[in-house]
Amino acid sequence: MKILLTGANGYIGTRLLPVLLAAGHEVVCMVRDKRRFSEASDFGDQVQIITGDLLKPETLVEIPSNIDAAYYLVHSMSASEHGFSELETASAQNFIAALKHSQCQQLIYLTGIVNDLGLSEHLSSRLAVEDVLKQSGIPFTILRAAIIIGSGSASFEIIRDLTEKLPVMVAPKWIKTKCQPIGIRDVLRYLSGVLLNEKAMQQTFDIGGPDILSYREMMLQYAEVRHLRRFILTLPLLTPRLSSLWLNMVTSVPYALARSLVDSMKNEVVCKENCISSVVPGACLPYRKNLALAFEKIEQNSIVSSWKDALNRGYLDTSFMDQVKVPQNGTLEYKVKMPFERDPQEVFENIWSIGGNRGWYYADWLWNLRGFLDKLMGGVGTRRGRTSNISIHAGDVVDFWRVLLADQQNKRLLLFAEMKVPGEAWLEFKVIEFHGQYFLSQIATFRPSGLWGRAYWYAMFPFHIFLFNGMARRITQFKAQ
């Protein structure tokens, strides 16, 4: 079959793609920027890649007319823009209008469980998208899931952050809300199992694992699996705003996403039926087993995808790859050119491993302080870390940076700042050779926004001298154990 996969760079889409290819399907991946799909690990040579922005109908003309089915796997859970619900609805409407010119026989949408009353704004927007898809005239299959547990999933990482870091938690009352977590493997099994399945046509299914747990129970079971002793105190006085700030400061999620999650956690997300079992047979894995499998992937450094690699401002921000070419005019720079006498590949491997668990080689406390201040200002902070400790690709996150270019052949890594700064910032690392001598070239570039931007740069300049020189020296000297 010829399948259209939207959200192909997202957490679910990245994992569903190899499943579809293994089943022998021809896959057309629709992305907003082909530059994020250039790595061999993305199966770029095995699929057809087209570009399209769902908010711009004129960009959807590349959708082939001869597709048999389409997956709609896009949403704006982390978007902070006002009116995102209307934008989500408009995106779905534009997508349907584009599909009307094709021979698509099925539209598959993965959304959230919406059985509770008084839905949050985000869950209400998901339900509105459902309505758009159902009224399209194209046969549909809707899969509604609660939280998804797997290495790199937002839900798993939040539970992990909270439980690993806080021996005693003071938590809001929403941690008593019931949900029915499901493992990523079972989500993929259902997504592939309903594909052009006659029993799934014109159907909406709740999908969930065998366990119905409160968020509190999930954290305590996580603690048991990790052999940790944890105590959780519940306070009814914590407002949604305070809860969001608390989640933002303790975990890796930015404030906009934290607020969306907190608003949605007041709703019970439990399956009301299990009709999917007659369409796609097979038992779902229990919660504890999914935790164990997630940690297997983490320990093997084989996390396929992570929610952190989604764009910081949600799917509405599509331009970050335009920053690959560092501007030359109107910018301020701090350059370090550090000579070294060792194997250049070893130095480049240090560059390749920067951030995350490895840290920044020098004065990590300053990086962590900057990340803490960024969190206070509503930024992403440094808690996002890295998806993998051993591999890195364009579009990945590294703490509060976004990878623009990861070029092993030319030994170059280019990062773009996602922390809150009065301007735009780039950090470039490159191993170069000149007259038989190897150097580490490290360039920090800043394009200030007005006088405040320039004042910020010069105020930080003494720290740059201390930090960037020390970091370059340590990168050339560091030897992994």
Side-chain angles (χ1 to χ4, degrees):
M1 302 298 177
K2 190 167 187 176
I3 312 300
L4 176 64
L5 179 62
T6 67
N9 281 335
Y11 179 74
I12 300 294
T14 300
R15 296 176 183 236
L16 181 60
L17 174 56
V19 175
L20 296 175
L21 291 175
H25 299 299
E26 181 183 354
V27 183
V28 180
C29 293
M30 190 174 81
V31 296
R32 284 157 289 157
D33 197 321
K34 289 184 179 180
R35 290 170 293 186
R36 290 193 65 200
F37 214 91
S38 60
E39 297 292 338
S41 60
D42 284 336
F43 304 97
D45 59 343
Q46 301 178 43
V47 301
Q48 179 184 350
I49 305 169
I50 63 175
T51 57
D53 185 336
L54 292 173
L55 290 175
K56 300 176 181 178
E58 68 275 10
T59 69
L60 304 180
V61 295
E62 289 188 57
I63 294 178
S65 61
N66 61 338
I67 59 170
D68 297 297
Y71 285 93
Y72 191 71
L73 302 178
V74 294
H75 63 82
S76 58
M77 188 65 179
S78 60
S80 58
E81 290 81 353
H82 296 293
F84 74 90
S85 181
E86 291 79 7
L87 293 174
E88 279 216 319
T89 301
S91 295
Q93 291 170 337
N94 292 338
F95 186 62
I96 292 302
L99 281 188
K100 287 291 184 69
H101 302 291
S102 74
Q103 62 186 35
C104 182
Q105 304 169 44
Q106 185 186 25
L107 182 56
I108 302 171
Y109 176 48
L110 177 64
T111 181
I113 290 179
V114 288
N115 296 323
D116 206 0
L117 298 175
L119 294 174
S120 69
E121 187 177 3
H122 272 278
L123 287 178
S124 295
S125 73
R126 302 281 185 89
L127 189 58
V129 170
E130 271 193 38
D131 291 338
V132 171
L133 302 183
K134 287 178 178 179
Q135 296 167 15
S136 66
I138 301 172
F140 64 84
T141 302
I142 309 294
L143 299 180
R144 295 173 172 175
I147 68 172
I148 297 173
I149 302 298
S151 58
S153 77
S155 303
F156 171 78
E157 293 295 342
I158 290 169
I159 293 170
R160 182 186 180 191
D161 277 348
L162 291 173
T163 312
E164 295 278 359
K165 295 170 183 175
L166 299 176
V168 179
M169 281 178 262
V170 178
K173 61 183 180 181
W174 53 254
I175 67 165
K176 295 182 179 179
T177 304
K178 295 290 186 181
C179 68
Q180 195 166 349
I182 183 171
I184 181 61
R185 286 167 177 76
D186 289 313
V187 173
L188 297 176
R189 180 168 62 86
Y190 287 136
L191 282 169
S192 58
V194 300
L195 179 61
L196 295 171
N197 185 328
E198 288 296 330
K199 294 181 180 180
M201 296 298 185
Q202 303 296 100
Q203 297 294 322
T204 299
F205 302 103
D206 290 348
I207 60 173
D211 304 297
I212 298 176
L213 305 166
S214 68
Y215 295 103
R216 183 179 188 275
E217 289 170 329
M218 282 191 287
M219 287 189 282
L220 290 177
Q221 287 196 24
Y222 177 101
E224 291 176 11
V225 170
R226 298 287 288 163
H227 306 292
L228 301 170
R229 293 190 67 190
R230 293 295 182 260
F231 302 92
I232 303 176
L233 306 176
T234 306
L235 291 182
L237 300 178
L238 287 176
T239 65
R241 179 175 175 79
L242 287 175
S243 299
S244 303
L245 290 170
W246 172 74
L247 201 62
N248 170 243
M249 294 305 299
V250 175
T251 72
S252 56
V253 299
Y255 177 76
L257 177 55
R259 186 60 188 262
S260 300
L261 290 170
V262 168
D263 287 345
S264 298
M265 283 173 174
K266 69 181 182 183
N267 294 119
E268 193 172 87
V269 281
V270 176
C271 299
K272 297 300 184 185
E273 45 78 16
N274 189 36
C275 300
I276 189 69
S277 60
S278 63
V279 178
V280 184
C284 290
L285 296 174
Y287 175 67
R288 287 175 181 261
K289 178 61 176 178
N290 284 312
L291 290 179
L293 290 171
F295 272 102
E296 281 184 19
K297 292 295 184 182
I298 293 169
E299 291 164 2
Q300 295 167 4
N301 278 304
S302 56
I303 301 176
V304 177
S305 62
S306 171
W307 74 273
K308 300 172 186 177
D309 296 331
L311 301 188
N312 182 33
R313 298 180 182 88
Y315 77 81
L316 304 175
D317 184 359
T318 63
S319 62
F320 80 93
M321 286 298 290
D322 293 336
Q323 310 292 345
V324 170
K325 184 173 177 58
V326 181
Q328 302 298 313
N329 299 317
T331 61
L332 302 165
E333 291 183 336
Y334 185 80
K335 298 181 179 181
V336 179
K337 191 175 180 181
M338 186 70 61
F340 60 89
E341 301 295 336
R342 58 189 297 198
D343 185 348
Q345 184 59 33
E346 293 179 354
V347 174
F348 181 67
E349 287 174 0
N350 288 340
I351 296 171
W352 207 245
S353 302
I354 202 166
N357 294 337
R358 175 68 64 87
W360 294 84
Y361 296 99
Y362 189 74
D364 274 354
W365 66 272
L366 274 177
W367 290 98
N368 292 331
L369 175 61
R370 181 64 180 87
F372 175 74
L373 295 175
D374 193 56
K375 277 280 191 179
L376 288 180
M377 294 185 290
V380 296
T382 57
R383 294 187 185 274
R384 295 186 302 178
R386 293 174 50 133
T387 300
S388 170
N389 294 321
I390 59 176
S391 64
I392 192 168
H393 307 289
D396 288 356
V397 296
V398 177
D399 295 334
F400 46 41
W401 300 90
R402 178 76 60 173
V403 180
L404 296 181
L405 185 68
D407 186 347
Q408 283 187 302
Q409 182 175 354
N410 294 305
K411 295 183 171 55
R412 183 184 177 214
L413 179 67
L414 179 61
L415 308 177
F416 180 68
E418 287 194 319
M419 80 280 279
K420 288 187 175 295
V421 290
E424 297 171 312
W426 294 258
L427 185 58
E428 180 185 45
F429 301 90
K430 191 173 183 180
V431 174
I432 58 177
E433 181 185 7
F434 186 70
H435 293 318
Q437 171 70 61
Y438 285 103
F439 296 87
L440 167 64
S441 170
Q442 182 180 287
I443 304 174
T445 304
F446 184 66
R447 181 160 59 186
S449 178
L451 291 176
W452 167 233
R454 289 186 173 272
Y456 169 84
W457 172 264
Y458 289 115
M460 296 297 295
F461 196 75
F463 295 98
H464 292 164
I465 295 174
F466 168 75
L467 191 62
F468 290 138
N469 281 279
M471 182 169 63
R473 184 173 62 253
R474 285 289 294 142
I475 289 174
T476 61
Q477 296 173 351
F478 183 85
K479 293 185 179 181
Q481 299 298 319

